[in-house]
Amino acid sequence: MDPDCGEASRILLQLETLKSTKTEIERQISALEAQLQEINLQHPNATVPNGSCPPVIPSVDSGYGHDLSPQMIYRYSRHLLLPAFGVQGQSKLLKSSVLVVGAGGLGSPALLYLAACGVGRLGIVDHDVVELNNMHRQIIHTEGFIGQPKVRSAATACRSINSTIQVVEYQEPLRTSNALEILSKYDIIVDATDNAPSRYMISDCCVVLGKPLVSGAAVGLEGQLTVFNYNDGPCYRCLFPTPPPATACQRCSDSGVLGVVPGVIGCLQALEAIKIASEIGEALSERMLLFDALSGRIRIVKIRGRSLQCVACGENAPFSKQQFQEFDYEKFTQSPLTPLPLKLKLLRADSRINTKEYKEKLVSGEAHVLIDVRPEHHFKIVSLPNSLNIPLPSLESRLPEISSALKEKEEHQGTDSGSGGRLYVICRRGNDSQRAVQFLHKMGFTSARDIIGGLEGWAHDVDPNVPTY
Amino acid sequence: MLLFLLVSKLCRFSDMKLTVEFGGGLELLCNSVKIHNVNVELQSGAEKLTMKDLLSWIRTNLIKERPEMFMKGDTVRPGVLALVNDCDWELSGQLDTTLEEKDVVVFISTLHGG
């Protein structure tokens, strides 16, 4: 046996043990910090001073005509030096509360800045757990928190940046049943979610409760930012009274996203929230910022004001709490509040095979052609050996290629001509492959079958060494 | 000189130079090209170009696939913001907005991701 190999596995084992110990310690620290914070809020004088965490001085007049403690003056000194912000701006910020819905790509930088700048109470809503493929953009989370709730990870990061603010964790999905109660506890709401129904729901809830909403979005290489329901400005529904078709809603998990793009928008969301909380400058109401990362262009456009006909905030029929709670946002937008990958079922069972069955065909040496209908840049990430990449949109024009590939297989096999060469179609998750097979059947390729679950299914059930993305 | 003025006047009435931009994913419907510098011909007899005219011209000349992702009926589909010179077309009369030479018309699909 290779001695290096033994050494490596010993180190790996040790790392594994240390990592799990570290996770447990971090969990305990987080819990203790939360406890301490509770005590501090109830009895501001009870904080025990130590080297790294100086005493929090209660919010009373310092004798200088404001309520900033020496600690606060030092911590926020660069804010206080800004003539437009100063003691007054910081004081307002310290007394304000902001709720960030979503601790993902937008929420990460927004939360970090809101915690650092001294927002008095910072709420975080998220039901998800940290995953490895979040790390490139959701910069608030660290590797040690993979598999753990995003809310806990984000709250720990916020507390470690600023132990003097209150951080509140809501480890649950935001629904019509809990939204009114949660949002009502905050002055400003930041929408850092990733789907259409949540955006309508949060906007409506802000209308019902009269809260300003800082709304940001980012996909691919573009971002958008605006402030809704502020100073008699429009709400989300004024701008988008009718939801877009579900097929028009791109998602980061399908379309991709350059990590820094939501980062830029999330930072700007923090900025807008800070401006509103401290009452400085002009909030981005009735205006929208459009960010195009690739061309390096930022455009700020004027958008419509509040609509008197708006279903949510209009003159005639403003939304009531009860209407809000009874509204079905998933039905309205035809998309789920907590998006899961789409699972189509377009084909009959005899037009499909599962990944294990396909593996058997491979082992038995059945003559066949495997078409991979994913886009070319997906195919470059990972593909099965001997698969032919024909992206779905070009399928129609490349049918002759399929015919000749099938013919070649038949000739190669020699004798068997009766059944004709089999045609299998694969994609990422097994949706486009069904669309392709439907089309192929129509075009006379009756032997075409789709591989259920696609490459993800293959990686899950047959070969775990095939990378997923 | 007189001839030049006459020609330029005639051209102005028959042709209009515009910049049309797509964003938020709508560019995918036009071969992934975001900025289009276009010359839109006015229909014979017409003295002005409205957004309604421009939309039907775009549908015919710029949109290469899935037109239903850009338009619904004779207007843009829900979720698309139309901006004329960086201003929401709701403020200028939507489909009736009259366009001028060198106007910049932007269509943005609203994003939901984060």
Side-chain angles (χ1 to χ4, degrees):
Chain A
M1 192 182 149
D2 185 352
D4 281 353
C5 190
E7 178 73 356
S9 57
R10 188 187 60 75
I11 293 173
L12 278 174
L13 194 72
Q14 214 173 342
L15 272 173
E16 205 58 43
T17 317
L18 285 171
K19 273 183 188 166
S20 73
T21 316
K22 180 177 162 225
T23 308
E24 177 54 26
I25 290 172
E26 272 169 350
R27 197 192 58 75
Q28 287 176 13
I29 290 174
S30 181
L32 286 171
E33 277 170 350
Q35 270 179 37
L36 183 66
Q37 210 164 44
E38 281 304 309
I39 296 168
N40 282 345
L41 288 164
Q42 285 156 14
H43 316 281
N45 293 315
T47 316
V48 184
N50 66 26
S52 63
C53 182
V56 178
I57 292 174
S59 224
V60 289
D61 197 303
S62 56
Y64 302 106
H66 60 71
D67 53 9
L68 296 187
S69 66
Q71 272 298 317
M72 289 168 172
I73 289 174
Y74 195 56
R75 179 186 278 267
Y76 304 116
S77 59
R78 272 46 173 179
H79 275 177
L80 307 183
L81 289 170
L82 287 168
F85 196 78
V87 166
Q88 205 181 5
Q90 190 63 47
S91 255
K92 286 178 182 161
L93 206 51
L94 287 162
K95 290 189 187 82
S96 74
S97 53
V98 180
L99 180 75
V100 178
V101 188
L106 298 165
S108 286
L111 283 163
L112 290 172
Y113 272 109
L114 290 171
C117 77
V119 162
R121 183 155 37 86
L122 189 54
I124 314 170
V125 188
D126 204 306
H127 68 281
D128 223 349
V129 294
V130 181
E131 291 181 66
L132 182 62
N133 62 10
N134 299 152
M135 307 301 291
H136 84 291
R137 67 186 190 284
Q138 303 184 11
I139 54 164
I140 202 167
H141 309 300
T142 49
E143 286 181 3
F145 279 94
I146 288 174
Q148 293 194 57
K150 284 186 182 174
V151 159
R152 188 191 292 161
S153 165
T156 306
C158 288
R159 289 187 187 116
S160 66
I161 286 174
N162 193 342
S163 59
T164 68
I165 62 161
Q166 189 191 357
V167 180
V168 187
E169 304 174 30
Y170 301 93
Q171 194 195 313
E172 55 196 299
L174 198 68
R175 301 275 180 201
T176 48
S177 52
N178 61 2
L180 284 166
E181 201 205 324
I182 297 176
L183 267 65
S184 66
K185 295 185 179 126
Y186 295 85
D187 303 327
I188 300 162
I189 313 301
V190 173
D191 183 345
T193 61
D194 62 358
N195 62 83
S198 295
R199 291 183 182 277
Y200 277 101
M201 179 178 74
I202 292 167
S203 175
D204 287 353
C205 193
C206 284
V207 168
V208 171
L209 297 167
K211 311 272 182 188
L213 170 62
V214 181
S215 180
V219 172
L221 293 146
E222 285 183 71
Q224 298 170 354
L225 170 81
T226 188
V227 172
F228 288 120
N229 201 41
Y230 182 61
N231 274 352
D232 211 32
C235 76
Y236 193 71
R237 273 189 203 253
C238 295
L239 202 53
F240 304 110
T242 313
T247 44
C249 301
Q250 299 182 69
R251 294 168 41 207
C252 296
S253 56
D254 295 328
S255 309
V257 58
L258 195 74
V260 67
V261 175
V264 168
I265 300 296
C267 285
L268 290 170
Q269 285 184 281
L271 174 61
E272 290 305 309
I274 290 167
K275 278 158 61 184
I276 296 170
S278 57
E279 295 172 45
I280 60 156
E282 292 167 65
L284 206 68
S285 173
E286 294 189 36
R287 290 182 296 157
M288 183 182 273
L289 182 147
L290 308 168
F291 174 51
D292 180 345
L294 211 52
S295 64
R297 250 191 284 255
I298 292 178
R299 172 177 241 142
I300 291 160
V301 299
K302 183 157 176 47
I303 56 172
R304 70 201 71 172
R306 188 174 146 222
S307 161
L308 299 180
Q309 284 82 45
C310 178
V311 174
C313 72
E315 293 288 89
N316 302 324
F319 243 44
S320 70
K321 284 186 180 178
Q322 195 187 341
Q323 268 174 297
F324 170 76
Q325 279 177 317
E326 286 167 2
F327 196 88
D328 188 340
Y329 288 91
E330 299 191 325
K331 200 175 152 201
F332 178 59
T333 56
Q334 297 286 304
S335 2
L337 278 160
T338 45
L340 288 169
L342 183 70
K343 267 205 158 66
L344 288 177
K345 229 180 159 182
L346 302 174
L347 300 173
R348 283 171 29 168
D350 58 3
S351 296
R352 320 191 66 188
I353 70 169
N354 66 41
T355 48
K356 283 182 179 152
E357 285 165 340
Y358 178 67
K359 170 81 180 169
E360 284 163 24
K361 307 274 183 201
L362 275 183
V363 172
S364 70
E366 185 199 76
H368 73 278
V369 171
L370 176 64
I371 308 282
D372 187 326
V373 290
R374 292 174 301 150
E376 194 187 338
H377 65 285
H378 285 231
F379 191 76
K380 279 183 181 161
I381 302 171
V382 54
S383 65
L384 290 186
N386 302 319
S387 53
L388 177 62
N389 183 212
I390 303 183
L392 188 59
S394 58
L395 189 60
E396 188 170 5
S397 61
R398 291 175 67 180
L399 288 176
E401 263 177 78
I402 300 175
S403 301
S404 58
L406 279 169
K407 210 168 169 192
E408 199 181 307
K409 284 281 170 193
E410 271 175 58
E411 281 164 8
H412 196 70
Q413 194 80 347
T415 51
D416 182 72
S417 58
S419 63
R422 277 276 177 198
L423 186 57
Y424 296 107
V425 183
I426 196 162
C427 65
R428 184 182 179 191
R429 298 194 180 105
N431 294 319
D432 276 353
S433 57
Q434 293 184 66
R435 294 189 176 105
V437 166
Q438 245 181 357
F439 175 73
L440 288 167
H441 283 179
K442 250 188 254 169
M443 302 312 288
F445 294 85
T446 49
S447 76
R449 290 178 173 201
D450 102 289
I451 298 176
I452 299 167
L455 275 171
E456 273 187 8
W458 181 265
H460 188 261
D461 298 326
V462 176
D463 184 1
N465 291 322
V466 167
T468 51
Y469 57 94
Chain B
M1 187 61 195
L2 193 69
L3 186 71
F4 172 77
L5 278 175
L6 191 71
V7 169
S8 68
K9 202 171 164 67
L10 276 173
C11 285
R12 214 158 56 110
F13 274 102
S14 61
D15 240 17
M16 192 176 277
K17 281 193 175 62
L18 298 171
T19 304
V20 178
E21 297 189 28
F22 298 93
L26 289 177
E27 69 281 4
L28 298 174
L29 309 176
C30 323
N31 290 339
S32 296
V33 178
K34 282 189 166 164
I35 303 176
H36 302 253
N37 291 305
V38 299
N39 262 321
V40 181
E41 273 177 44
L42 280 159
Q43 295 200 319
S44 58
E47 285 189 7
K48 57 176 190 175
L49 183 77
T50 64
M51 277 297 283
K52 189 174 175 169
D53 303 327
L54 181 66
L55 277 177
S56 88
W57 185 89
I58 289 172
R59 187 180 180 141
T60 313
N61 295 281
L62 297 182
I63 304 292
K64 306 290 180 212
E65 57 177 286
R66 295 176 287 160
E68 73 281 4
M69 296 302 280
F70 179 58
M71 287 180 73
K72 190 175 178 189
D74 63 354
T75 188
V76 293
R77 72 150 165 84
V80 172
L81 280 181
L83 308 154
V84 180
N85 299 325
D86 287 346
C87 194
D88 191 344
W89 76 339
E90 280 278 329
L91 303 168
S92 57
Q94 280 194 334
L95 287 168
D96 298 327
T97 309
T98 308
L99 295 166
E100 308 276 344
E101 178 87 3
K102 289 182 182 163
D103 275 354
V104 179
V105 183
V106 179
F107 298 97
I108 293 279
S109 178
T110 171
L111 304 177
H112 303 97

